[in-house]
Amino acid sequence: MPVTIRNISPADNAALAAIIRNTFDEFDTVPKTGTVYSDPETDHLSDLFQAPGSAYYIAEEDGIILGGCGLFPTAGLPDGCVELVKYYLSSAARGKGLGRTLMEQTFEGARELGYKEIYLESFPDFTKAISIYEKAGFQYLDKPLGNSGHFACTVWMLKPL
């Protein structure tokens, strides 16, 4: 059965929280405090993405959640800019092009919502994700934009849409 890309629903919350936290557990050099790992919202992502100007896309195959990628109008970002957030895939789903598909869906969603730029925060340890961001046209920034609350992140990137 092909992979389906769809909007988040409350039934997805537990699976997504597990994928996110498992990713951090795989990369034990990445801090958990000051990241999505420790956010209380991580257990209730479908609620978070009810906010105006936000969206979250799920990748699912045969009823199994493989990962997701979202957009959030983080406080303090410049006008016309949105943050790419909570972009995680299960370890079994990586390396198959699914991440790129999810990210492209997120770019399209950002355009539909009227955004002109997309910002993200990450860690140098997530080398494969960083490579995907670079190939997608993200450029490095010297400091963070906005107020995500993820003070542990050390990679900041921006892409025009």
Side-chain angles (χ1 to χ4, degrees):
M1 183 174 210
V3 172
T4 301
I5 306 292
R6 61 172 176 76
N7 290 319
I8 192 171
S9 75
D12 303 323
N13 288 337
L16 283 171
I19 289 169
I20 291 168
R21 291 191 175 112
N22 287 342
T23 300
F24 276 76
D25 291 340
E26 286 176 57
F27 294 87
D28 60 0
T29 58
V30 176
K32 295 177 180 172
T33 302
T35 69
V36 64
Y37 188 97
S38 60
D39 277 352
E41 299 155 341
T42 300
D43 293 310
H44 309 281
L45 290 179
S46 65
D47 294 339
L48 179 66
F49 290 96
Q50 296 303 306
S54 70
Y56 196 87
Y57 306 101
I58 298 292
E60 178 181 37
E61 184 177 37
D62 294 328
I64 297 173
I65 305 300
L66 303 174
C69 187
L71 300 165
F72 196 80
T74 301
L77 288 177
D79 286 341
C81 186
V82 68
E83 187 174 2
L84 184 141
V85 294
K86 295 157 183 47
Y87 175 39
Y88 293 92
L89 293 174
S90 67
S91 58
R94 293 183 208 139
K96 300 176 182 176
L98 180 57
R100 180 70 181 174
T101 301
L102 262 176
M103 194 167 33
E104 289 295 334
Q105 175 63 51
T106 305
F107 295 162
E108 182 58 32
R111 288 184 197 97
E112 289 173 7
L113 289 167
Y115 294 109
K116 304 293 182 217
E117 295 179 301
I118 194 161
Y119 166 76
L120 65 82
E121 299 177 339
S122 191
F123 295 95
D125 305 63
F126 293 165
T127 55
K128 289 184 182 176
I130 297 292
S131 174
I132 291 170
Y133 302 146
E134 290 171 342
K135 288 176 185 170
F138 281 90
Q139 298 295 313
Y140 288 93
L141 300 173
D142 294 330
K143 60 183 181 179
L145 295 178
N147 184 20
S148 72
H150 296 155
F151 58 83
C153 293
T154 58
V155 173
W156 312 282
M157 302 177 90
L158 186 67
K159 171 187 172 53
L161 290 172

